[in-house]
Amino acid sequence: MKTLVLAAVMLLAVVPVAAQAPPSASAQAAPAQQATPPALPSCPELAAALQAVARNDARLSDWPNLARYREANRSIATPGAGEARVVFMGDSITDAWPQPRFGAFFPGKPYIGRGISGQTTPQMLLRFRPDVIALKPKAVIILAGTNDIAGNTGPMTDEQISGNLASMAELAKANGIRVIFSSILPVSEYHVRPGDTAPPQTTRRPMARITALNAWMKEYAAANGHAYLDYFSAMTDAKGLLRAELSEDDLHPNAAGYAIMAPLAEAAIQAALRR
């Protein structure tokens, strides 16, 4: 695939250069004719590579996806007096939570979801002002890090991940927003099927790194007056993996998983608001 993508990029680069080359003397003398480009042979792999390049170009045009919630943010009024607004900042686990198939998303509560599937901490840090601070919440729940470990936007060390988490917490604190760090969820490999070519989640997201980052978050939260929301302990089995019945793909919680997470999140919010 890398070779095909490179070939596609080279093809795109070569065509404009050829078009800009000065015509030969014979070509200048000949009557103007519209050249018909040669037909490319049918190649599904090349077509897929070109589509991947186009998708990548679109992503890079708004790398943190600031446009995702831009209009929704504009439509949100300033919190009323006494309103305990909370923003949930995160990745796909936060993004999917409000879907009806996972149950009601904190009915009657002024809670706002601002998750984007696949995102990493550097992307969330870039959109922290428009998607969190500008909404003037009382508290923010930050659930992030699993996609950094998986390398969704390139290799990330634990120190880089924790640095981005700390930067989000510092921005929140500077704006009077209480911080709740939620643990990275465990993963498992219970739903790997024979013939699957993708590595299991435990390979992409080693549990040792998850537990190390969770330990850092818990310590950092305690040292800086933040709250720590421990989903991890409530969702692991005797093997220390994500319980099989709480996920369909070894990564994302299902309705049963969110049913465990919701009361834990609510308890953490209330504790943070009392600080």
Side-chain angles (χ1 to χ4, degrees), residues 120-123 125 144-145 148-149 151 153-168 209 213 216:
T120 56
T121 57
Q123 291 172 305
L125 180 57
D148 299 68
I149 294 173
T153 52
M156 292 282 288
T157 66
D158 290 355
E159 291 74 19
Q160 290 170 326
I161 299 169
S162 60
N164 289 331
L165 291 169
S167 293
M168 284 188 267
R209 291 194 67 186
L213 281 166
W216 175 87

Short mmCIF file of all heavy atoms in Angstrom, two decimals, residues 120-123 125 144-145 148-149 151 153-168 209 213 216:
data_model
loop_
_atom_site.label_atom_id
_atom_site.label_comp_id
_atom_site.label_asym_id
_atom_site.label_seq_id
_atom_site.Cartn_x
_atom_site.Cartn_y
_atom_site.Cartn_z
N THR A 120 -6.59 12.05 19.13
CA THR A 120 -5.50 11.91 20.09
C THR A 120 -5.38 13.20 20.91
O THR A 120 -6.02 14.21 20.60
CB THR A 120 -4.16 11.65 19.36
OG1 THR A 120 -3.94 12.71 18.41
CG2 THR A 120 -4.19 10.32 18.63
N THR A 121 -4.56 13.16 21.95
CA THR A 121 -4.46 14.32 22.85
C THR A 121 -3.97 15.60 22.17
O THR A 121 -4.44 16.69 22.52
CB THR A 121 -3.57 14.01 24.06
OG1 THR A 121 -2.27 13.59 23.62
CG2 THR A 121 -4.20 12.92 24.92
N PRO A 122 -3.04 15.56 21.19
CA PRO A 122 -2.67 16.83 20.55
C PRO A 122 -3.82 17.46 19.79
O PRO A 122 -3.95 18.69 19.76
CB PRO A 122 -1.51 16.45 19.62
CG PRO A 122 -1.58 14.98 19.46
CD PRO A 122 -2.16 14.46 20.72
N GLN A 123 -4.67 16.64 19.18
CA GLN A 123 -5.83 17.18 18.49
C GLN A 123 -6.82 17.79 19.49
O GLN A 123 -7.37 18.87 19.26
CB GLN A 123 -6.52 16.09 17.67
CG GLN A 123 -5.69 15.62 16.48
CD GLN A 123 -6.30 14.41 15.81
OE1 GLN A 123 -6.56 13.39 16.44
NE2 GLN A 123 -6.55 14.52 14.51
N LEU A 125 -6.14 18.98 22.41
CA LEU A 125 -5.55 20.18 22.98
C LEU A 125 -5.80 21.38 22.08
O LEU A 125 -6.10 22.49 22.55
CB LEU A 125 -4.05 19.97 23.20
CG LEU A 125 -3.25 21.13 23.79
CD1 LEU A 125 -3.83 21.58 25.14
CD2 LEU A 125 -1.77 20.73 23.96
N ALA A 144 -9.02 10.51 27.37
CA ALA A 144 -8.13 10.55 26.22
C ALA A 144 -6.89 9.71 26.48
O ALA A 144 -6.55 9.44 27.61
CB ALA A 144 -7.73 11.99 25.92
N GLY A 145 -6.23 9.32 25.38
CA GLY A 145 -4.95 8.64 25.49
C GLY A 145 -4.87 7.31 24.78
O GLY A 145 -3.79 6.90 24.34
N ASP A 148 -3.61 7.72 21.29
CA ASP A 148 -2.19 8.10 21.29
C ASP A 148 -1.33 6.85 21.39
O ASP A 148 -0.33 6.71 20.67
CB ASP A 148 -1.89 9.01 22.48
CG ASP A 148 -2.68 10.30 22.46
OD1 ASP A 148 -3.90 10.25 22.63
OD2 ASP A 148 -2.06 11.36 22.28
N ILE A 149 -1.72 5.96 22.31
CA ILE A 149 -0.97 4.71 22.47
C ILE A 149 -0.98 3.92 21.17
O ILE A 149 0.03 3.34 20.77
CB ILE A 149 -1.58 3.88 23.62
CG1 ILE A 149 -1.38 4.60 24.96
CG2 ILE A 149 -0.94 2.49 23.68
CD1 ILE A 149 -2.09 3.94 26.13
N GLY A 151 -1.08 5.10 18.27
CA GLY A 151 -0.35 5.81 17.21
C GLY A 151 -1.22 6.35 16.10
O GLY A 151 -0.78 6.45 14.96
N THR A 153 -2.09 9.30 15.32
CA THR A 153 -1.50 10.47 14.64
C THR A 153 0.02 10.44 14.74
O THR A 153 0.68 11.47 14.76
CB THR A 153 -2.05 11.79 15.23
OG1 THR A 153 -1.90 11.77 16.66
CG2 THR A 153 -3.51 11.98 14.88
N GLY A 154 0.56 9.25 14.80
CA GLY A 154 2.01 9.08 14.88
C GLY A 154 2.44 8.59 16.24
O GLY A 154 1.66 8.61 17.20
N PRO A 155 3.66 8.12 16.35
CA PRO A 155 4.15 7.60 17.63
C PRO A 155 4.10 8.66 18.72
O PRO A 155 4.44 9.82 18.49
CB PRO A 155 5.60 7.20 17.30
CG PRO A 155 5.65 7.04 15.82
CD PRO A 155 4.68 8.03 15.28
N MET A 156 3.68 8.24 19.91
CA MET A 156 3.59 9.15 21.06
C MET A 156 4.16 8.44 22.28
O MET A 156 3.79 7.30 22.57
CB MET A 156 2.14 9.53 21.34
CG MET A 156 1.48 10.39 20.28
SD MET A 156 1.98 12.12 20.41
CE MET A 156 1.10 12.61 21.89
N THR A 157 5.04 9.11 23.00
CA THR A 157 5.55 8.55 24.24
C THR A 157 4.55 8.84 25.36
O THR A 157 3.69 9.73 25.25
CB THR A 157 6.90 9.16 24.61
OG1 THR A 157 6.72 10.57 24.88
CG2 THR A 157 7.91 8.99 23.47
N ASP A 158 4.69 8.12 26.47
CA ASP A 158 3.83 8.38 27.62
C ASP A 158 4.04 9.80 28.14
O ASP A 158 3.10 10.46 28.59
CB ASP A 158 4.11 7.37 28.73
CG ASP A 158 3.63 5.96 28.38
OD1 ASP A 158 3.00 5.80 27.31
OD2 ASP A 158 3.89 5.03 29.17
N GLU A 159 5.26 10.29 28.07
CA GLU A 159 5.55 11.65 28.53
C GLU A 159 4.85 12.69 27.65
O GLU A 159 4.36 13.70 28.15
CB GLU A 159 7.06 11.89 28.53
CG GLU A 159 7.84 11.12 29.57
CD GLU A 159 7.99 9.63 29.24
OE1 GLU A 159 7.81 9.26 28.04
OE2 GLU A 159 8.28 8.85 30.16
N GLN A 160 4.80 12.46 26.36
CA GLN A 160 4.11 13.39 25.47
C GLN A 160 2.61 13.38 25.74
O GLN A 160 1.95 14.43 25.75
CB GLN A 160 4.39 13.02 24.01
CG GLN A 160 5.83 13.30 23.58
CD GLN A 160 6.15 12.72 22.22
OE1 GLN A 160 5.65 11.65 21.85
NE2 GLN A 160 6.98 13.42 21.46
N ILE A 161 2.06 12.19 25.96
CA ILE A 161 0.62 12.09 26.24
C ILE A 161 0.29 12.80 27.55
O ILE A 161 -0.65 13.61 27.61
CB ILE A 161 0.19 10.61 26.30
CG1 ILE A 161 0.46 9.91 24.97
CG2 ILE A 161 -1.30 10.51 26.66
CD1 ILE A 161 0.30 8.39 25.02
N SER A 162 1.06 12.51 28.58
CA SER A 162 0.79 13.14 29.88
C SER A 162 0.99 14.65 29.81
O SER A 162 0.27 15.42 30.46
CB SER A 162 1.68 12.52 30.97
OG SER A 162 3.06 12.69 30.67
N GLY A 163 1.93 15.10 28.99
CA GLY A 163 2.14 16.53 28.82
C GLY A 163 0.93 17.21 28.20
O GLY A 163 0.53 18.30 28.62
N ASN A 164 0.32 16.57 27.20
CA ASN A 164 -0.88 17.14 26.59
C ASN A 164 -2.05 17.14 27.56
O ASN A 164 -2.84 18.09 27.60
CB ASN A 164 -1.24 16.36 25.33
CG ASN A 164 -0.26 16.61 24.19
OD1 ASN A 164 0.34 17.67 24.10
ND2 ASN A 164 -0.11 15.63 23.31
N LEU A 165 -2.18 16.08 28.34
CA LEU A 165 -3.24 16.03 29.34
C LEU A 165 -3.05 17.14 30.38
O LEU A 165 -4.01 17.81 30.77
CB LEU A 165 -3.26 14.66 30.02
CG LEU A 165 -3.71 13.47 29.15
CD1 LEU A 165 -3.42 12.15 29.85
CD2 LEU A 165 -5.19 13.58 28.83
N ALA A 166 -1.82 17.32 30.82
CA ALA A 166 -1.54 18.37 31.78
C ALA A 166 -1.84 19.75 31.20
O ALA A 166 -2.37 20.64 31.90
CB ALA A 166 -0.08 18.28 32.23
N SER A 167 -1.53 19.96 29.93
CA SER A 167 -1.81 21.25 29.30
C SER A 167 -3.31 21.53 29.26
O SER A 167 -3.75 22.67 29.49
CB SER A 167 -1.22 21.29 27.88
OG SER A 167 0.19 21.27 27.92
N MET A 168 -4.12 20.52 28.95
CA MET A 168 -5.57 20.71 28.97
C MET A 168 -6.05 21.06 30.37
O MET A 168 -6.89 21.95 30.55
CB MET A 168 -6.28 19.46 28.44
CG MET A 168 -6.22 19.30 26.93
SD MET A 168 -7.24 17.94 26.30
CE MET A 168 -6.03 16.60 26.28
N ARG A 209 0.99 0.14 29.16
CA ARG A 209 1.00 1.59 28.93
C ARG A 209 -0.29 2.23 29.46
O ARG A 209 -0.26 3.34 29.99
CB ARG A 209 1.16 1.88 27.43
CG ARG A 209 2.53 1.52 26.86
CD ARG A 209 2.73 2.14 25.49
NE ARG A 209 2.80 3.60 25.56
CZ ARG A 209 2.86 4.39 24.49
NH1 ARG A 209 2.84 3.85 23.26
NH2 ARG A 209 2.94 5.70 24.62
N LEU A 213 -0.26 5.18 32.35
CA LEU A 213 -0.85 6.50 32.17
C LEU A 213 -1.97 6.75 33.18
O LEU A 213 -2.13 7.87 33.67
CB LEU A 213 -1.37 6.65 30.74
CG LEU A 213 -0.29 6.96 29.70
CD1 LEU A 213 -0.82 6.76 28.28
CD2 LEU A 213 0.22 8.39 29.87
N TRP A 216 -0.34 7.75 36.33
CA TRP A 216 0.12 9.14 36.27
C TRP A 216 -1.05 10.10 36.47
O TRP A 216 -0.93 11.08 37.23
CB TRP A 216 0.78 9.42 34.92
CG TRP A 216 1.15 10.87 34.79
CD1 TRP A 216 2.30 11.48 35.20
CD2 TRP A 216 0.31 11.92 34.25
NE1 TRP A 216 2.23 12.83 34.95
CE2 TRP A 216 1.03 13.13 34.38
CE3 TRP A 216 -0.96 11.94 33.68
CZ2 TRP A 216 0.52 14.35 33.94
CZ3 TRP A 216 -1.49 13.15 33.26
CH2 TRP A 216 -0.75 14.34 33.39
#
